[in-house]
């Protein structure tokens, strides 16, 4: 039985050691107080349980990010960098004695600009604040569509490398 | 309100326009969609799992598969139902 609850990860309404395993997949970079969130994940995990934490590298999807920068993004959002493949281990080691990282590499081969625009639209919450002042969100979407179409016309697809990984913590 | 606060705001989630078309993640070219990252857990010794996610729970079905393997069917049961 799966029970959905909407709570703050830094104040979980569960007893100490309530869970045999805990997962925090691609989410810790959203948390305002990351060390507090990590401590709570440790607290609700049984002593010999396992925490799985996945996140991205700060260099992931560089080709896609370069396209966004060329379309009016003045800087990359720093959200992922708050908890990344590069710095996540140090943050987790404050609450776990055994932290191991397993890198994952893949790539996206996108043959149509539509999914690129959809992806950008789904990221509006983090991107819009980083647009150049002269660029509206609608302008940005049109530019992304044109740029993605140009890449597809020239290369057959937009190809971008995905670099991520999972921390196994005990 | 900061953008980080948005995620703790239920009204934000109600009004945020959802993208329903294909996104770039649908065009991964490797065979593993990422669920092998569940393998380091000893699932045979696991009952209660917290998926502390920020989405609808893409991992739930895959965790359930590992917690609840298909029920054993005896040869006699199979024969009697044939």
């Amino acid at each position: 039985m799966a029970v959905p609850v909407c709570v703050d990860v830094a104040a979980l309404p569960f007893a100490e050691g309530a869970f045999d395993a805990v997962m925090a997949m691609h989410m810790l970079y959203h948390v305002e107080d990351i060390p507090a969130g990590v401590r709570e994940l440790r607290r609700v995990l049984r002593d010999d349980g396992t925490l799985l934490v996945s996140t991205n590298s700060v260099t992931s999807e560089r080709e896609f990010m370069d396209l966004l920068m060329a379309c009016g993004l003045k800087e990359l959002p720093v959200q992922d960098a708050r908890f990344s493949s590069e710095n996540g281990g140090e943050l987790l080691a404050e609450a776990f004695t055994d932290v191991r990282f397993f890198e994952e590499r893949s790539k996206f081969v996108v043959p149509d600009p539509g999914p690129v625009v959809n992806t950008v639209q789904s990221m509006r919450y983090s991107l819009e604040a980083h647009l150049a002042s002269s660029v509206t969100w609608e302008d940005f979407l049109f530019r992304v569509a044109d740029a993605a179409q140009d890449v597809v016309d020239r290369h057959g697809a937009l190809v971008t490398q995905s670099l991520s990984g999972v921390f196994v913590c005990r | 309100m900061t953008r980080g606060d948005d995620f703790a705001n239920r009204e934000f989630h109600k009004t945020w326009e959802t993208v329903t078309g294909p996104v770039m993640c649908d065009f991964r070219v490797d065979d593993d969609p990422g669920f092998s990252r569940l393998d380091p857990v000893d699932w045979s010794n696991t009952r209660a799992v917290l998926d502390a996610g920020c989405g609808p729970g893409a991992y739930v079905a895959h965790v359930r598969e590992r917690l609840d393997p298909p029920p054993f069917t005896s040869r006699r049961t199979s024969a009697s139902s044939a």
Side-chain angles (χ1 to χ4, degrees):
Chain A
M1 177 177 63
V3 180
V5 294
C6 183
V7 296
D8 183 353
V9 71
L12 294 171
F14 305 115
E16 290 184 19
F19 297 97
D20 305 309
V22 174
M23 303 183 302
M25 303 305 206
H26 282 82
M27 58 78 77
L28 274 174
Y29 42 67
H30 294 307
V31 176
E32 184 173 353
D33 187 344
I34 294 173
V38 171
R39 285 194 297 273
E40 272 295 86
L41 295 174
R42 171 67 272 186
R43 184 185 67 78
V44 301
L45 182 65
R46 78 179 193 212
D47 286 346
D48 62 343
T50 301
L51 169 69
L52 300 178
V53 178
S54 63
T55 191
N56 296 322
S57 165
V58 293
T59 62
S60 186
E61 294 156 35
R62 180 57 59 190
E63 300 84 356
F64 173 54
M65 294 301 167
D66 287 347
L67 183 144
L68 300 187
M69 294 293 286
C71 291
L73 201 65
K74 64 182 178 185
E75 61 197 3
L76 292 176
V78 296
Q79 190 170 49
D80 285 15
R82 298 181 62 238
F83 186 94
S84 65
S85 300
E86 287 78 10
N87 67 8
E90 187 176 341
L91 290 160
L92 292 164
E94 294 181 11
F96 291 85
T97 56
D98 183 2
V99 178
R100 303 179 190 195
F101 180 69
F102 298 88
E103 186 179 61
E104 299 170 344
R105 289 174 177 264
S106 63
K107 63 181 176 181
F108 304 127
V109 180
V110 190
D112 182 87
V116 179
V117 175
N118 284 341
T119 300
V120 172
Q121 178 69 10
S122 75
M123 298 168 67
R124 181 174 183 171
Y125 69 91
S126 67
L127 293 178
E128 190 170 17
H130 300 280
L131 291 180
S133 58
S134 60
V135 180
T136 67
W137 180 253
E138 289 72 23
D139 291 338
F140 182 57
L141 286 181
F142 280 119
R143 291 184 186 189
V144 168
D146 285 345
Q149 184 66 64
D150 184 54
V151 172
V152 169
D153 288 344
R154 284 189 289 119
H155 303 292
L158 171 67
V159 179
T160 189
Q161 305 293 323
S162 172
L163 300 174
S164 60
V166 61
F167 292 97
V168 180
C169 313
R170 295 186 172 97
Chain B
M1 176 180 289
T2 67
R3 295 200 167 258
D5 292 336
D6 286 343
F7 287 94
N9 180 348
R10 288 171 187 248
E11 294 306 312
F12 169 76
H13 290 283
K14 288 177 185 174
T15 57
W16 188 15
E17 184 179 353
T18 302
V19 172
T20 57
V23 293
M24 289 171 59
C25 291
D26 295 318
F27 294 88
R28 280 179 80 121
V29 295
D30 55 348
D31 293 332
D32 179 7
F35 299 109
S36 64
R37 59 175 58 136
L38 298 174
D39 293 346
V41 173
D42 176 12
W43 294 105
S44 66
N45 193 28
T46 297
R47 289 294 174 266
V49 181
L50 174 64
D51 180 4
C54 57
Y59 288 88
V60 171
H62 297 272
V63 169
R64 183 173 282 153
E65 282 178 4
R66 287 161 170 80
L67 291 176
D68 300 318
F72 174 75
T73 303
S74 73
R75 183 172 295 180
R76 176 174 298 179
T77 302
S78 298
S80 62
S81 62

